[in-house]
Amino acid sequence: MSQPLRLGIAGLGTVGVGVVRIIRKQAALIEARTGRPVTITAVSARSRDKDRGVTLSGYAWEDDPVALAKRDDVDVFVELMGGDEGPAKDATEAALASGKDVVTANKALLAIHGQALAEQAEAAGCLIRYEAAVAGGIPVIKALTESLAGNEITRVMGVMNGTCNYILTRMEETGNGYNSLFEEAEALGYLEADPNLDVGGIDAAHKLAILSSIAFGTKIDFDGIQLEGIERVAIEDIRAAADMGYKIKLLGVTQKTGRGLEQRMMPCLVPQTSPLGQLDGGTNMVVIEGDAVGQIVLRGAGAGEGPTASAVMADVCDIARGLRGPVFGQPAETLEQTTPASSQRPAPYYLRMALVDKPGALAKIATVLGEAGVSIYRMRQYEHSDTSAPVLIVTHKTSRNALVEALANMDKTGVLAGEPVALRIEEV
Amino acid sequence: MSQPLRLGIAGLGTVGVGVVRIIRKQAALIEARTGRPVTITAVSARSRDKDRGVTLSGYAWEDDPVALAKRDDVDVFVELMGGDEGPAKDATEAALASGKDVVTANKALLAIHGQALAEQAEAAGCLIRYEAAVAGGIPVIKALTESLAGNEITRVMGVMNGTCNYILTRMEETGNGYNSLFEEAEALGYLEADPNLDVGGIDAAHKLAILSSIAFGTKIDFDGIQLEGIERVAIEDIRAAADMGYKIKLLGVTQKTGRGLEQRMMPCLVPQTSPLGQLDGGTNMVVIEGDAVGQIVLRGAGAGEGPTASAVMADVCDIARGLRGPVFGQPAETLEQTTPASSQRPAPYYLRMALVDKPGALAKIATVLGEAGVSIYRMRQYEHSDTSAPVLIVTHKTSRNALVEALANMDKTGVLAGEPVALRIEEV
């Protein structure tokens, strides 16, 4: 019989407990599939006495995750604590320094320190595996690094924060504004301790930074992401977008262009009938485009005990089977240093504005757009009872610079009643 | 520098040419990702002189694929000829007998001879990899065998024949009947040389048989699939299903039950708003359900040069990286022999019938259904100008046996004007 693969698990929150449950429940299945038993040697968490609804008997306890990471009877250090500094980083480094493989669900750690950790791991001949760090149970890391290895990746897009997608979906369903749905999500326990990680787009941007590196063979550049959360999405825009056949999503997009790496995480419009547009509620979706494969869409639960633990176990089983390989799909030292793209690729834009109710107002707006080289694809003016007229415009594909110029010139016309809203329409 | 991985490619149709193109175009990328060059040593096809739009210079030519499979300078035999007997089988066996790994896109070969080939491969310490055999560019084999290795799989569903989905989608779009759209698909070159492989559901059933084996750890049992093609799908049912909020799909479903392995490939209804219901045209989709991960949906091109070659290259790159493992996710000798389920799991059903236009007809039908224990969820009777009245019924979940009994009793009432249509509604 083969030697067991022995895990040390640091962090016994939702995901850690999920991993313990799977290993207890599916021991026979996992051994049949990987050819060897997978066992837990030791665990670590903040509180030893908390009732987690799962027995930890038979596992050694370590108060200090660094000590856990160094144990001689641990082959794989499973890091499920989270956080980009502190114990998670210390223990991960200690595990690698002790020659152990690491499986982690920690997107923040990888997005900030991924390059250094990958270099350390590869110098030591160790693995870092992190399927659970991006989009929960969806096998997107494996799809990019392995299934599409023969493709030049052209674009990756993703709705990768279930809480944001839940809030946006519920805004459309209920007609209530952002604040009300934020409170609903909070009451349901959907928000991180620091809600800005969710609604500010940071959590999703961590994931995007990781995907960029694998997709394009570039060093992780979290700071290069153009980042905007969903806090400013107005219910009027949700409604107006729906009326024009679109949904608003917090969409991450990464694409390598001649002008650098373009990484965006911001609210934008996608067609209602596209797979991304049809993604309601807390589900995640990643869309990968490659030169050979065309477009692949992966959809599933992006969070929660079972899905995330399932992804952790995918990595554990790969290690049990003997799979080895570089952290980000090719050796860390060969990853290219990129610069953020100096400008965004042209796209259609959605504009919503209120015009003062006097003759010629709309003509002035149209003229300003035309002079900036922005051409109008569709325009709607709605009935109104007050002193300003709501107007929606969908432009043809245009550069961001031309749009910014047009918006500045609009401001000078004196026909705007309030600040216009401009959102990118991603062509999916 | 590492030794190159040397391929011998048998079959230079669409997919074979696609593989040659990727290897020529992406040599540097593939080497960066796998750590070694991937090269082609020799090729084989029916006609040496045909212009395939890609240069074969530098590759040895073999008229006989068996000779190609045995060459000392070939590490991996890439079988892209197709067919479950003849040269594909002979050459695959010869490659394994010579200790070579095999990559194949041949679903028929695996569905019929997979168990014997897997046993031969594993006894010889060789791999058979076949990501391209199921759903083209969609990484479903890897998702099942690797990404969901910690899950007990509960159900796998798939729309895995693009031609059938194209025909059904176009029937709905155009309102034209099956024969007309069959001709359209034929004119577009979407049909296999033997169209029954497509429209008879055989091709998709081959794929389902393979997925069943990996999902449930069972020996492949193609003959155990309940198989029905799309030839009998009437335009009236496409229309009526749409009216009730459903789409008709050629859907493969596999599920292990207490009564055996239930494998079905047949037209059935799915909700319009579900991912499967939203899948229009030639695209493929596989839905995998596991006890931990919940539901994962994978969507992409199921055929064509680029997508299928992309899947072949995924397997080639895995071999180049040193990945080893059993053919169907666990050793072939440990795969369980199952029997086909003796009865189908209960489901709601769609019934369409024409009733003779006389008082009490509908009451008789409702009575017969009730007596058989089939309860009605929704019923619609439509306006009519002739002597029979079209009636649609969606039942609550019921057993197939109860439905068959009800249909037999309906026949005896004398109120049916013609044969009723009954289609399963798959709960997705």
Side-chain angles (χ1 to χ4, degrees), chain A residues 51-347:
Chain A
D51 179 8
R52 299 181 168 89
V54 64
T55 175
L56 302 174
S57 68
Y59 311 150
W61 179 273
E62 294 278 2
D63 286 321
D64 177 9
V66 172
L68 177 76
K70 290 178 175 171
R71 284 176 68 108
D72 286 339
D73 56 3
V74 163
D75 302 311
V76 179
F77 177 64
V78 182
E79 191 279 291
L80 303 173
M81 297 178 284
D84 60 312
E85 301 292 343
K89 180 159 176 276
D90 296 343
T92 299
E93 288 169 349
L96 296 173
S98 308
K100 296 180 196 316
D101 293 333
V102 172
V103 172
T104 180
N106 192 331
K107 57 225 77 166
L109 180 68
L110 291 173
I112 310 297
H113 302 293
Q115 181 66 26
L117 289 171
E119 287 174 10
Q120 187 191 348
E122 289 166 23
C126 297
L127 296 174
I128 303 176
R129 303 273 299 180
Y130 48 92
E131 186 64 82
V134 181
I138 303 177
V140 57
I141 303 298
K142 194 176 268 285
L144 268 176
T145 49
E146 300 174 22
S147 300
L148 303 178
N151 284 258
E152 187 178 334
I153 303 299
T154 50
R155 182 169 61 160
V156 180
M157 298 183 284
V159 170
M160 296 184 289
N161 184 283
T163 304
C164 288
N165 205 49
Y166 174 85
I167 291 174
L168 294 171
T169 301
R170 289 284 294 157
M171 284 173 74
E172 177 161 3
E173 283 172 5
T174 63
N176 295 331
Y178 171 78
N179 290 335
S180 152
L181 275 313
F182 177 89
E183 283 163 22
E184 181 176 302
E186 198 166 37
L188 288 165
Y190 289 178
L191 284 158
E192 301 263 359
D194 173 5
N196 193 41
L197 287 174
D198 287 315
V199 297
I202 298 167
D203 165 80
H206 285 148
K207 297 167 185 169
L208 188 72
I210 295 170
L211 294 184
S212 292
S213 174
I214 310 169
F216 303 116
T218 54
K219 289 192 165 70
I220 281 191
D221 180 19
F222 173 71
D223 293 333
I225 297 177
Q226 295 182 286
L227 178 60
E228 190 184 318
I230 63 166
E231 305 94 328
R232 289 169 51 206
V233 174
I235 186 65
E236 291 78 9
D237 291 313
I238 299 259
R239 264 192 229 120
D243 197 32
M244 307 285 269
Y246 299 98
K247 299 252 191 182
I248 298 181
K249 298 288 171 193
L250 178 66
L251 186 69
V253 181
T254 180
Q255 187 158 22
K256 204 170 171 184
T257 73
R259 303 175 310 285
L261 185 64
E262 185 172 335
Q263 298 182 97
R264 284 179 281 108
M265 178 61 67
M266 52 176 61
C268 65
L269 277 65
V270 294
Q272 272 169 352
T273 54
S274 65
L276 283 164
Q278 291 162 348
L279 188 76
D280 289 336
T283 312
N284 278 204
M285 183 176 282
V286 180
V287 179
I288 308 174
E289 293 169 352
D291 64 344
V293 79
Q295 190 183 74
I296 292 281
V297 180
L298 310 173
R299 170 185 167 132
E305 178 186 313
T308 314
S310 166
V312 170
M313 289 309 301
D315 288 338
V316 167
C317 290
D318 272 353
I319 294 174
R321 283 171 170 143
L323 181 124
R324 311 299 300 171
V327 177
F328 294 112
Q330 63 185 67
E333 62 188 15
T334 68
L335 294 169
E336 188 191 341
Q337 179 79 55
T338 57
T339 48
S342 51
S343 60
Q344 295 180 17
R345 276 166 308 112

Side-chain angles (χ1 to χ4, degrees), chain A residues 22 25-26 29 32-33 137 139 142 145-147 149-151 278 291-292 296-299 306-307 310 314 321 323 330, chain B residues 22 25-26 32-33 137 139 142 145-147 149-151 278 291-292 296-299 306-307 310 314 321 323 330:
Chain A
I22 291 179
K25 182 179 169 195
Q26 306 293 9
L29 194 68
R33 287 174 177 168
K142 194 176 268 285
T145 49
E146 300 174 22
S147 300
N151 284 258
Q278 291 162 348
D291 64 344
I296 292 281
V297 180
L298 310 173
R299 170 185 167 132
S310 166
R321 283 171 170 143
L323 181 124
Q330 63 185 67
Chain B
I22 291 180
K25 183 177 168 196
Q26 306 292 9
R33 288 173 177 169
K142 193 176 270 285
T145 48
E146 301 174 22
S147 300
N151 285 258
Q278 291 162 349
D291 64 343
I296 292 281
V297 180
L298 311 173
R299 172 186 165 130
S310 167
R321 283 170 169 143
L323 181 124
Q330 63 185 66

Side-chain angles (χ1 to χ4, degrees), chain B residues 24-321:
Chain B
R24 288 190 167 271
K25 183 177 168 196
Q26 306 292 9
L29 194 68
I30 291 166
E31 186 173 347
R33 288 173 177 169
T34 65
R36 61 195 284 201
V38 171
T39 60
I40 299 171
T41 305
V43 295
S44 173
R46 276 196 210 133
S47 153
R48 183 164 187 170
D49 301 326
K50 187 175 164 185
D51 179 8
R52 298 179 168 89
V54 64
T55 175
L56 302 174
S57 68
Y59 311 150
W61 180 272
E62 293 279 2
D63 286 319
D64 176 10
V66 172
L68 177 76
K70 292 179 175 171
R71 284 177 68 108
D72 288 339
D73 56 2
V74 164
D75 302 311
V76 179
F77 177 63
V78 182
E79 191 278 292
L80 304 172
M81 295 176 286
D84 62 312
E85 301 291 343
K89 180 159 177 275
D90 296 343
T92 298
E93 288 169 348
L96 297 172
S98 309
K100 298 182 195 314
D101 293 333
V102 172
V103 172
T104 179
N106 191 332
K107 57 225 76 165
L109 180 67
L110 291 172
I112 309 298
H113 303 292
Q115 181 66 25
L117 290 170
E119 287 174 10
Q120 186 190 351
E122 289 167 22
C126 297
L127 297 174
I128 303 176
R129 302 274 298 180
Y130 47 90
E131 186 65 82
V134 181
I138 303 176
V140 58
I141 303 298
K142 193 176 270 285
L144 269 176
T145 48
E146 301 174 22
S147 300
L148 303 178
N151 285 258
E152 187 178 333
I153 302 299
T154 49
R155 182 171 59 162
V156 180
M157 298 182 284
V159 170
M160 297 184 288
N161 184 284
T163 304
C164 287
N165 205 48
Y166 174 85
I167 290 174
L168 294 172
T169 301
R170 290 284 295 156
M171 284 172 75
E172 178 162 2
E173 283 171 6
T174 62
N176 294 331
Y178 170 80
N179 289 335
S180 152
L181 276 313
F182 177 89
E183 282 163 21
E184 181 176 301
E186 197 167 38
L188 288 164
Y190 289 178
L191 284 158
E192 302 263 358
D194 173 5
N196 194 40
L197 286 174
D198 287 315
V199 296
I202 298 167
D203 165 81
H206 285 148
K207 298 168 185 168
L208 188 71
I210 295 170
L211 295 183
S212 292
S213 174
I214 311 169
F216 304 116
T218 53
K219 290 193 165 70
I220 282 191
D221 180 19
F222 173 71
D223 292 332
I225 298 177
Q226 294 182 285
L227 177 60
E228 189 184 317
I230 63 167
E231 305 95 328
R232 288 169 51 205
V233 174
I235 186 65
E236 290 77 11
D237 292 311
I238 300 259
R239 265 193 229 121
D243 197 31
M244 307 285 268
Y246 298 98
K247 299 252 192 182
I248 298 181
K249 298 287 172 193
L250 178 67
L251 187 68
V253 180
T254 179
Q255 188 159 25
K256 204 171 171 182
T257 74
R259 302 175 311 285
L261 184 64
E262 185 171 334
Q263 299 182 95
R264 283 180 280 109
M265 178 61 66
M266 51 176 62
C268 65
L269 276 67
V270 294
Q272 272 170 351
T273 53
S274 65
L276 283 164
Q278 291 162 349
L279 187 76
D280 288 336
T283 311
N284 278 203
M285 182 175 284
V286 181
V287 179
I288 308 175
E289 293 168 354
D291 64 343
V293 80
Q295 189 183 74
I296 292 281
V297 180
L298 311 173
R299 172 186 165 130
E305 178 185 313
T308 313
S310 167
V312 170
M313 289 309 300
D315 288 337
V316 167
C317 290
D318 272 353
I319 295 174
R321 283 170 169 143

Side-chain angles (χ1 to χ4, degrees), chain B residues 246 268-271 347-350 393-395 423-427:
Chain B
Y246 298 98
C268 65
L269 276 67
V270 294
Y349 280 82
Y350 155 98
I393 292 173
V394 173
T395 73
L423 293 168
R424 185 182 171 98
I425 301 176
E426 189 70 23
E427 297 188 299

